[in-house]
Amino acid sequence: MRVNFTVNGRKHEADDVWEGESLLYVLRERMGLPGSKNACEQGECGSCTVRLDGVPVCSCLVAAGQVEGREVVTVEGLADFAAHRSEAHPGSGCAPGACGTSLDRARRWEAKPAAEQSRNTGELSPIQQAFIDAGAVQCGFCTPGLLVAADELLERHPEPSDADIREALSGNLCRCTGYEKILDAVRLAAARAEETV
């Protein structure tokens, strides 16, 4: 079957999709967007978290056919999505299909050493920069899902309490960090956002 949906603000279609394929498989294997990680395939770890119509979901549990006509934001489009949201839609999100990162730009995204980036380059979202600055990234496998979940939290609740942060990230497992630096990163992003208001 053919699935038409919006990825990082741009309309796309995936052909020859088997109805049982997961959204995760389609994003990684058919569209070349490997940011969402394939770990447990049971919705337990959160490493494959994307936003589906604005809501964080485990893409391994979403059948590709379920995204017909819907909007998906992956970690590859997070920076553009956050920048556009703050400029054009402060305090809210984008209308489905109206905004985002091109598929080609998302495929070419690569992490660069912190010395090559500044907060104002537009290459990283505030939460991505905060994860780097707080040292919240170790092996990196869980990081894409954590970033997507944290970005959604900060959009919904710009001044979260520690309990809010823990609840929002409770579906994301990390085996390296002990979580404290991840919590620090979300706190840092929230504090930086408050300074700019």
Side-chain angles (χ1 to χ4, degrees), residues 144-164:
L146 285 163
L147 288 168
V148 171
D151 182 71
E152 188 275 337
L153 166 68
L154 294 173
E155 178 184 307
R156 179 174 41 86
H157 195 353
E159 297 176 25
S161 67
D162 282 358
D164 295 328

Side-chain angles (χ1 to χ4, degrees), residues 124-188:
L124 296 176
S125 72
I127 191 65
Q128 289 170 315
Q129 188 64 53
F131 263 62
I132 292 169
D133 295 343
V137 178
Q138 288 193 18
C139 84
F141 209 80
C142 67
T143 305
L146 285 163
L147 288 168
V148 171
D151 182 71
E152 188 275 337
L153 166 68
L154 294 173
E155 178 184 307
R156 179 174 41 86
H157 195 353
E159 297 176 25
S161 67
D162 282 358
D164 295 328
I165 297 169
R166 289 177 189 278
E167 176 66 26
L169 302 182
S170 65
N172 298 80
L173 301 179
C174 176
R175 296 176 60 98
C176 299
T177 65
Y179 298 98
E180 196 55 44
K181 290 188 180 282
I182 293 167
L183 298 174
D184 289 344
V186 179
R187 291 179 197 119
L188 179 60

Side-chain angles (χ1 to χ4, degrees), residues 6-10 71 80-81 84 88-89 93-101:
T6 303
V7 180
N8 298 327
R10 303 284 185 247
E71 182 173 2
D80 285 346
F81 182 67
H84 175 79
H89 311 289
C94 299
C99 314
T101 303

Side-chain angles (χ1 to χ4, degrees), residues 20-28 35-67 70-74 141-142 144-146 148-149 152 167-173:
E21 279 180 7
S22 69
L23 172 59
L24 176 63
Y25 183 86
V26 170
L27 291 170
R28 288 180 59 83
S36 303
K37 301 301 183 222
N38 186 1
C40 72
E41 294 188 73
Q42 297 176 2
E44 296 290 330
C45 71
S47 65
C48 67
T49 302
V50 299
R51 290 180 71 173
L52 179 60
D53 293 337
V55 178
V57 298
C58 290
S59 59
C60 69
L61 298 180
V62 177
Q66 291 179 289
V67 300
R70 298 176 78 183
E71 182 173 2
V72 174
V73 175
T74 69
F141 209 80
C142 67
L146 285 163
V148 171
E152 188 275 337
E167 176 66 26
L169 302 182
S170 65
N172 298 80
L173 301 179

Side-chain angles (χ1 to χ4, degrees), residues 98-120:
C99 314
T101 303
S102 71
L103 185 59
D104 183 56
R105 182 169 178 201
R107 284 181 177 147
R108 288 184 284 119
W109 182 90
E110 64 179 272
K112 296 178 181 160
E116 294 181 29
Q117 300 180 32
S118 71
R119 199 161 165 231
N120 298 322

